[in-house]
Amino acid sequence: MDVVMLSRIQFAVTVFFHFIFVPLTLGLSVLLAIMETMYVRTGNEMYKRMVKFWGKLFIINFTLGVVTGITLEFQFGTNWSRYSEYVGDIFGSLLAIEASTSFFLESTFIAVWYFGWKKVSKKVHCMCIWLVALASNMSAYWIIMANAFMQNPVGYKMVEGKPQLNDFFAVIFNPYGLGEFAHTVSSSWMVGGMFVLGISAWHLVRKNEVELFKSSFKIASIFFLIFSLATAAAGHHQGQIAAKYQPAKLAAMESHWETGNNVPMYLLTWPNAENNGNAIQALPIPSALSILAYNDPNAEVIGLNDIPEEDRPPVLPTFISFRIMVGLGTFFPIFAIALFMWRKKIETKTVVLKALPWLIPLPYICIMFGWTVTEVGRQPWIVYNMLRTSDAASPIEASMVVWSIVAFTLIYTFLGLLDIYLLRKYAMKGPK
């Protein structure tokens, strides 16, 4: 493998490990804020014990997430220096804002919140966790807007062959990024909901702290329902944005080869990229792809055969990842509706309670495949239609990257196992 592919593998390994922690931080912080608000409003000590229990798991996840995130930014200098040199004026400013505002706000108030139970008033303490939730999600906003420039470059002018920022508001309100943010945050909040549901179910099966965990389950079931539906809606909207700004990505997602109007969606499809077509293509739904992509049954959808081969994304991984994401994204709202309907008598649904802890990984898997669609579907560009990935890597020896991949994999595997061990240990111990 050349240095470009090795650097891509390394970044994929580190970013996927880091993203084990991010969605739970985003989702659980909001749930904690809701729970503590209920404590402040009612004065019920059960809610305080609830917040302290889930807060301990939140702190474990947050701490390890920070550790895994620091190394990501270093790779822009070590492995992707040509990319950093090319877009540093825009990309760097967004990351600097994220670190100097959102991250510091988040880090400051999480300390006040965790250590301040007996040192500040109940209302001030509750305000702290709301600020942590706001800062965590704003941190995601800045990072996603940096990614959005890679997907849909806006707000720049070319100076000496490089993009230079000339419209800050165009960059931070990039329509591609707004859709990405809505989809990412709603799915992350869904992760938080499933996490609370799964652990609450484990304790309810064993009849541990029934009142506390039944209340946690009720809160999380409503939260999970709202944001599983929001994730599906945001995902559909993001698909339409991809159709507008990255038609090659849409074509790869659907393995659509021939440009046409009234384009159907095939329920049974399997790509055959070597022959520029599909090996299997059956059970069409008339005009469905045109409607889903453009809200118009007569809309033209560009096919891969009208895109130069060197500009096409890898079809098979994009196609498979998209279908796994959509399959899980369809399952979650259906399952969430059932949980919502059962929430008042959930302790009688023993089979569901026993299954729920095993379903905790599913939203994570859904998000990972969603980001695979986003990033693999953008290839061969690192900045869409401006800079190819093959031109963005650092001029270093491939052997150096091999050793760093091995080191990162070992370190991140250890941190991932540590996270699972600590979360499992303190989740099983319960509030006591």
Side-chain angles (χ1 to χ4, degrees):
M1 292 187 187
D2 63 8
V3 68
V4 174
M5 181 54 70
L6 288 169
S7 294
R8 289 177 66 188
I9 291 171
Q10 178 175 291
F11 198 83
V13 167
T14 53
V15 79
F16 275 138
F17 263 109
H18 178 57
F19 217 74
I20 292 172
F21 307 95
V22 172
L24 186 57
T25 295
L26 300 183
L28 194 53
S29 63
V30 177
L31 275 166
L32 282 170
I34 292 169
M35 292 171 181
E36 186 159 355
T37 300
M38 295 177 76
Y39 165 60
V40 171
R41 293 187 64 182
T42 65
N44 188 335
E45 288 293 315
M46 180 200 69
Y47 287 118
K48 182 178 180 180
R49 296 177 64 239
M50 182 189 294
V51 172
K52 285 193 169 185
F53 170 70
W54 295 110
K56 184 178 291 185
L57 302 181
F58 173 75
I59 290 293
I60 292 168
N61 183 80
F62 175 83
T63 303
L64 289 168
V66 169
V67 173
T68 60
I70 291 172
T71 56
L72 285 175
E73 293 189 12
F74 286 113
Q75 291 181 70
F76 293 121
T78 57
N79 294 75
W80 300 101
S81 60
R82 287 170 175 156
Y83 164 77
S84 298
E85 182 183 4
Y86 186 74
V87 297
D89 185 63
I90 298 169
F91 198 82
S93 61
L94 294 171
L95 295 185
I97 293 170
E98 184 273 331
S100 59
T101 58
S102 301
F103 180 71
F104 280 111
L105 180 67
E106 179 184 27
S107 302
T108 300
F109 282 98
I110 201 170
V112 176
W113 177 77
Y114 189 71
F115 296 108
W117 279 102
K118 297 180 180 180
K119 296 178 175 63
V120 297
S121 69
K122 289 197 295 185
K123 289 184 179 180
V124 170
H125 194 269
C126 184
M127 180 191 70
C128 289
I129 191 61
W130 276 111
L131 287 172
V132 170
L134 174 65
S136 298
N137 285 274
M138 282 307 299
S139 180
Y141 184 85
W142 293 113
I143 292 168
I144 286 172
M145 285 302 155
N147 179 268
F149 184 83
M150 300 165 69
Q151 308 286 344
N152 176 43
V154 294
Y156 69 94
K157 61 180 180 180
M158 297 301 293
V159 178
E160 297 180 357
K162 297 177 185 177
Q164 209 172 77
L165 182 66
N166 75 338
D167 189 341
F168 180 69
F169 290 102
V171 172
I172 65 171
F173 294 114
N174 188 334
Y176 202 103
L178 295 174
E180 269 191 315
F181 178 73
H183 196 34
T184 300
V185 168
S186 59
S187 60
S188 297
W189 291 13
M190 184 178 67
V191 166
M194 179 63 87
F195 182 80
V196 173
L197 287 169
I199 294 172
S200 297
W202 190 89
H203 284 282
L204 287 172
V205 167
R206 290 156 182 81
K207 305 196 183 310
N208 300 334
E209 300 273 3
V210 172
E211 183 187 8
L212 186 150
F213 284 110
K214 191 172 179 181
S215 296
S216 293
F217 193 97
K218 287 180 181 178
I219 294 167
S221 65
I222 297 169
F223 196 78
F224 183 66
L225 173 60
I226 292 170
F227 291 105
S228 61
L229 292 169
T231 299
H236 171 64
H237 176 65
Q238 189 63 16
Q240 293 188 324
I241 291 174
K244 180 178 180 179
Y245 294 106
Q246 296 182 351
K249 179 183 287 184
L250 175 70
M253 285 158 54
E254 295 293 346
S255 191
H256 172 59
W257 294 89
E258 300 299 334
T259 300
N261 303 87
N262 304 103
V263 178
M265 175 179 286
Y266 293 92
L267 297 180
L268 291 178
T269 308
W270 190 257
N272 184 355
E274 293 182 359
N275 293 321
N276 296 324
N278 291 323
I280 300 172
Q281 186 168 286
L283 304 179
I285 302 175
S287 301
L289 186 55
S290 292
I291 294 170
L292 288 172
Y294 298 104
N295 297 323
D296 179 2
N298 299 312
E300 179 183 77
V301 182
I302 296 172
L304 287 164
N305 284 330
D306 280 339
I307 297 168
E309 194 166 343
E310 65 273 15
D311 292 342
R312 297 177 193 169
V315 177
L316 188 60
T318 307
F319 173 85
I320 292 174
S321 299
F322 178 68
R323 269 150 181 73
I324 294 173
M325 178 191 69
V326 169
L328 289 172
T330 304
F331 165 74
F332 293 137
I334 296 170
F335 186 54
I337 291 169
L339 292 177
F340 177 76
M341 293 173 65
W342 296 332
R343 72 192 186 283
K344 294 182 179 179
K345 54 180 179 179
I346 191 61
E347 65 273 17
T348 66
K349 306 291 182 181
T350 307
V351 174
V352 176
L353 290 176
K354 288 182 177 179
L356 267 168
W358 298 99
L359 300 182
I360 291 174
L362 288 185
Y364 287 97
I365 293 168
C366 185
I367 290 176
M368 296 301 185
F369 278 107
W371 274 106
T372 300
V373 173
T374 298
E375 296 304 302
V376 175
R378 189 189 63 239
Q379 300 304 316
W381 306 98
I382 194 167
V383 181
Y384 197 68
N385 280 339
M386 290 179 64
L387 179 67
R388 291 182 182 271
T389 306
S390 56
D391 298 327
S394 299
I396 55 177
E397 295 294 328
S399 59
M400 296 174 64
V401 186
V402 171
W403 285 110
S404 61
I405 289 174
V406 172
F408 275 126
T409 302
L410 292 174
I411 293 169
Y412 275 44
T413 299
F414 169 74
L415 291 173
L417 293 173
L418 180 63
D419 181 58
I420 292 169
Y421 167 75
L422 291 173
L423 289 176
R424 183 176 182 272
K425 175 183 176 180
Y426 287 101
M428 291 173 69
K429 286 179 71 172
K432 294 180 182 180

